[in-house]
Amino acid sequence: MTDVHIGDAVRRVEDQRFLTGQGNYIDDINMAGQARAAVLRSPHGHARINGIDTSRAEALDGVLLVITGRQWLAFGMGTLPTKTGVRKGRNDTDINEPPRHCMAIDTARYLGEPVAFVVAETQVIANNALELIDVDFEPLEAVSDAVKALAPGAPRLWDDIPNNLCIDFELGDLEGTEKAFAEADHVITLDLENNRVTAVPIETRGCVGSYDAATETYTLYNATQNVHANRDMFAENVLGIDKQKLHHVAPDVGGGFGAKNSAYPEPPMVLYAAKKLGRPVKWINTRSDSFLGDTHGRGQTSRVQIAINNDGTFLALRTETVGGIGAYCWTIGPFTPTGGSARTQGGPYTFPAMYYRGRAVFTNTAPMDPYRGAGRPEATFQTERIIEYACRKLGLDPVETRRKNLMPPEALPYMSPMGMDIDCGDFPLLFERTLEMAAPDTFAARADRATKAGRLFGFAIAPYLECTGGAPKEYAGVQFKEDGAVTLAVGSHSTGMGHETVLPQLLAARLGIDFDRIQFTQADTDATPIGGGHGGSRGMEVGGNAVAQAADEIIVKATPLAAHLLQSDAAKVTFADGSFSDATSGASVSMTEVIEASMDQEPGFLDTGATFERGVISIPNGCHAATVEVDPDTGAIQITGYWVMDDFGTVINPLLADGQVMGGIVQGIGQALTENIIYDDSGQLITGSLMDYGLPRADVVPNMVIDYYEGAPTKKNPLGVKGAGEAGCVGALPAVVNAVLDALKGHGVVHMDMPLTPEKVWRAIRDKGAHDPEALMRDAC
Amino acid sequence: MEDFSYQKPKTVDDAREAYSASADGLFLAGGQTILPVMKLGLAAPSAVIDLGGIEGLRAILVTDSVVSIGAMATHATVAASGDVRQAIPALSDLAGMIGDPQVRTRGTIGGSIANNDPAADYPAAVLALNATITTDKRQIAADDFFVAMFETALEEGEIITNVEFPVADAAAYAKFANPASRFALAGVFVARTGNSVRVAVTGAGTCVFRVADMEAALAKDFSATALDGITVATENLNTDIHASAEYRGHLIGVMAKRAVEAAQTKGGGK
Amino acid sequence: MPKISLTVNNKPVTQDVEGRTLLVELIREGLGLTGTHIGCDTSQCGACVVHVNGQPVKSCTMLAVQADGAEVLTVEGVSPDSGLNPIQQALHEHHGLQCGFCTPGMVMTATALLKNNPDPSEADVRHGLEGNLCRCTGYQNIVEAIMAAAKTMRS
Ligand SMILES: Cc1cc2nc3c(=O)[nH]c(=O)nc-3n(C[C@H](O)[C@H](O)[C@H](O)COP(=O)(O)OP(=O)(O)OC[C@H]3O[C@@H](n4cnc5c(N)ncnc54)[C@H](O)[C@@H]3O)c2cc1C
Ligand code: FES
Ligand code: FES
């Protein structure tokens, strides 16, 4: 029997198959008789499609099917609607939501937008057929930059949408903020950019679809993060079928980080073709096409302003953001630059007044949808950058100033001006501990050593405040089998985070049963009636609590049987540490024994399906700190130290939590230093391959020291967990960028936009920090 | 990728013949450049002639005065060769900086210089060390070999068989890598033999090139400070999303100094 | 179509392949060994790393015909009959994998790295992973695992 507890660093069960090459990813799935698909994508950022001639492609031996946008429309296929939570803008205006079809209809609005779909006997034939499709494109003027897209006279993506504006959103207290701005000793303004990036999970997307004519049921294996929600979209919105007629399963998924969250256009085309051809159809994306058609993230231009007094007291924060969301409203695309980036403005500091305005803007670029953090990294970056900048401008000490303004624990619970219910935590404690870990007393010596080697030493600390998100409901189903196996099916979804280990760990610990007996299922629309998939750091917060709730219900059901076995009375029997006991008689019986005994009851006696619904989202928080060394001759940056204290509430498995934090930090480091999605003015992607898009590699990332504060479990959910999946990304951007700027302070450098390429650093030094703080948003505010 | 006929001749003569006999032939060495190019559909030869079966093309021979490297010697072998390291440590260092371990397992010196990627590392060594390129037809001096971006003095169907590097008194290579691709954003190879100094720059221009002013200054005084104030004209340098011509020009200066310093401390050959 | 003979994980294999067939295609589609993955089309990611004659290569950047007569080792061939080898075991212990997609390439690269350098420094290991991208782990636990495996294998 394997005993596991909450808080144990249980090693993962899924590792065995991944380490030996036995994982079952989408490209490993092959169905008898399958045909292969390929997608013709727009080579233009914006172009009218005057006609498509598919005859040469259709004539190619082995080509089975060619579909164009016009045909797709004629089949009666529906559109993919947005599920954004923000639908109302300022002055009660409605969101502009143009129709999003799976294929471009008459106009292609971004490079890589599907224009035609081919199915053939082999991949080679399908790919060759793409080259035989003659499309009469008439290139149109494009606009890829969101600020430019808002300007009067900018090319329009949609005839009926003025200024390319999807939604103009606001939150907070404008009047209070303006008043504080009028009264403060200083108002400091900084325009900054949160560069556009993309998730690049190492496995590209792909799917295999089939259709069973006898039952009129489709089956879709899909590298997705979200089987239930996307099933509903594909079935009900696009194909116009009952959702019961689509069985949607995700096999092992090779990373997602948000980029496999959305309802993408290819799976419905695959399903249509599978039915039409009466044989399974497989489509696997290439990396090159992933850069064009996978969702991107961040990509915001903002003006951030702080009202601050001479003594460093913060009075108010105001942020105006413009975010390009691509040509359509994707699954939650319009949410990120609006509500998603508003909520955690101000971080863990006391800001008596705050105001946020975010405009989501249509651009001729790939779609924007969640990327790890979706709004919180942006908000934290904006907050921490304006604080650091203000300190530099006013000669205030950045550590002291932050310390002074952190919300004290006595102030909690606190409803932030952005509507966040900040219930618990100890921000000053985490701040001090992080600082201690970084050992500031060694900085002078480290700076000295760096100087001797011709480098500049820098340090920054960045507290962060997070919030969870994603679908609020989750289901966990537990069944007990005759042979002793216990099955656990959960609707949340791991694309690498380790649910297959940690959720059984939780169930085993809660029930006191053998961990090895639990068989785990996820990401299958037949296995759970509902499922919220993956996103918003919800796995443990919602999925974990569903498992805990199922365990608690099982205990309740088992108690009368235990009492019977103990020849006692249910009211007298208590459950603890895996056993039911009767305090009066001292007798006890284990859960395992009760489960065995339950096999003599009616079938499924203890089987339980529990649905947990989150009330209020929880508030993970913590603090990052980094040291860097900069080579002033070349501008090269090396991160030399990295420390984190996180408050995720109760930590169920610290090993897995570490993994989430490290992975998130390195994605943040990537964005801060090397990753950048760049489009030119015609909507061509300049950084569309791993030769130009710089993913972090092993030799550029530092060793990270991570610790947890578990003194403030949240009462918002029974497990007391706060969500761990995105926090690494949230804290890393300001920690790294501010540390580099600290290193350059002797050269007068006060600001640089990400990514901090060596050339930018070198130029900033050469130009002695010359910088226009209002350059980016002058035309947009 | 379009299909092609595949041949693996055993001699250089057979390889040349196979090439002449094909409509659109292509030599294949390590494949670390040409296969990615073919996968993206940017080259579609009718015949691929694999040089991997030819005896002797992988040989590395080191004497007191010359390091001779067979065209098919891989970056990994050159990086690991004790003989090369002893004679021209900068050359092993350079080979060890190319790409990643897997690329070094397969990629070859012949392929690298035949390809003449403007950001490749080997061309800098070949030019600075004043190497001689031997082909199936003739010998070509380094100064005549690298013609323009992806262009060399090689004629149609000409096969590089080996590269001979005279052993220098001191040499070093300093590379500033492109953070994304890890090719050279600017790489400078400096070699001193007696009173003569050669400085070759890769990554910064459309083709590897020498810097006469630096060579003259270093010939008088082989020290980093001798390079103070020497700038490289930026008109002919590359500007792309990774670096401007101006920055590349600056990097050349920094990397040249670092190469000189390294050559002074550990770059000595014999 | 060229016929090639090679050994894959010590088993002799004879196959007809097209000239253009990549080694990774032979391994995944021809032989059904799907542990070797494809993560890119520009030879950058390293998800496809296998050994050819004992050295690590990107199997997406080598023709199958070039492996004629060679000994090929894939992730399916590195474990002892029961359980995991020291590198796999260390990756498991140190949580050096999340989604697992890069993992086979990491295992093969690490195996070659420790064969060529049994006592690497941390910098050696990080440098040795230059051709392998991982988007999940942030590399730290992979590096720790390889260092730990090196220690186990030396003793
Ligand atoms: C991920 C990655 C990273 C890389 N990083 C770097 C780097 O940092 N620095 C760097 O310099 N390079 C780098 N390279 C390129 C690498 O060094 C290649 O190995 C090299 O450029 C070409 O050598 P090859 O043997 O692979 O040649 P191939 O790709 O086989 O051939 C290249 C060209 O040369 C021709 N050719 C080959 N051999 C001969 C010969 N003997 N005679 C005549 N013509 C011949 C071929 O016909 C072909 O046109 C990288 C490659 C990859 C995939
Ligand atoms: S598949 Fe990416 S390097 Fe081979
Ligand atoms: S574990 Fe997911 S890419 Fe490495």
Side-chain angles (χ1 to χ4, degrees), chain A residues 72 121 124 187 205 226 249 283 288 322-323 336 372 492 521 537 551 577 585 638 641 645 708 712 747 780:
Chain A
W72 187 250
E121 291 291 348
V124 172
V187 171
R205 293 186 300 110
N226 234 321
V249 187
W283 168 76
S288 299
V322 173
T336 308
R372 203 172 200 163
S492 59
T521 311
S537 300
D577 296 331
S585 69
Q638 204 191 344
M645 273 296 300
Y708 302 99
H747 291 272

Side-chain angles (χ1 to χ4, degrees), chain A residues 147-169:
Chain A
V147 173
K148 285 185 190 159
L150 271 180
R156 267 197 200 183
L157 273 80
W158 300 95
D159 292 341
D160 52 346
I161 301 180
N163 302 108
N164 297 307
L165 186 64
C166 170
I167 188 164
D168 184 352
F169 166 91

Side-chain angles (χ1 to χ4, degrees), chain A residues 194-199 257 259 294-300 324 336 366-372 374-375 378 671 677 693:
Chain A
N194 204 299
N195 45 327
R196 184 180 257 254
V197 292
T198 183
F257 320 110
D294 278 13
T295 56
H296 296 168
R298 317 278 186 260
Q300 297 185 2
T336 308
M368 195 62 101
D369 234 2
Y371 171 49
R372 203 172 200 163
E378 292 90 324
Q671 177 176 7
I677 287 283
Y693 186 86

Side-chain angles (χ1 to χ4, degrees), chain B residues 26-36 51 71-72 75 97-100 103 106-112 114-115 119-122 154 158-161 175 181-184, chain C residues 42-44 58 61:
Chain B
L26 182 88
F27 295 123
L28 174 65
Q32 301 304 290
T33 291
I34 203 64
L35 290 177
L51 304 178
M72 288 297 288
H75 310 329
M97 287 181 217
I98 299 175
D100 52 50
V103 168
R106 305 251 351 132
T108 68
I109 185 168
S112 176
N115 189 50
D121 297 301
Y122 260 131
L154 291 175
E158 191 170 0
I159 299 169
I160 302 171
T161 53
K175 171 178 182 176
S181 74
R182 301 280 172 111
F183 276 75
Chain C
T42 53
S43 310
Q44 306 275 312
K58 290 176 174 169
T61 314

